[in-house]
Amino acid sequence: MSTTHDSPSVRPAVLDAAQAQRTVAGLADGTVETVADLRVRGRADELADELVESHLPALEEAGYIEWDREAGTIAPGPNFEEAAAHVADLPNPDGEPADD
């Protein structure tokens, strides 16, 4: 189930910059293929809920990812390159400079 948008006119407002960076950067460098790959230590249940309820739907709606909810997999979407080109511009969730 995917949605293709050739040119999203409105960016998802609910998208957390740190989670967006983890998702797009992980897809770009090949370390993310499933929703489980996005979970970080700590508030795992809370973060998983935020991913499924807010972040992944917003990224899918913008066409940045393809998300198979049943299989729990994500892949680059039709507008992925647009998002990947701006990963370095997003704040680093760890407070360190982003890798190029």
Side-chain angles (χ1 to χ4, degrees), residues 10-96:
V10 178
R11 300 283 183 253
V14 304
L15 198 57
D16 175 81
Q19 190 58 55
Q21 182 177 14
R22 279 188 205 97
T23 303
V24 174
L27 284 170
D29 68 17
T31 60
V32 171
E33 293 180 354
T34 69
V35 174
D37 294 335
L38 295 170
R39 294 197 178 120
V40 294
R41 290 185 205 113
R43 310 172 349 240
D45 291 338
E46 181 182 332
L47 293 172
D49 289 345
E50 288 175 14
L51 277 169
V52 171
E53 293 172 11
S54 298
H55 305 303
L56 295 177
L59 288 168
E60 183 178 44
E61 177 69 26
Y64 298 148
I65 67 169
E66 299 267 343
W67 178 27
D68 183 328
R69 288 163 176 79
E70 290 182 26
T73 59
I74 59 174
N79 298 325
F80 178 76
E81 292 302 320
E82 175 186 327
H86 297 287
V87 169
D89 299 336
L90 296 171
N92 190 319
D94 300 323
E96 299 175 12

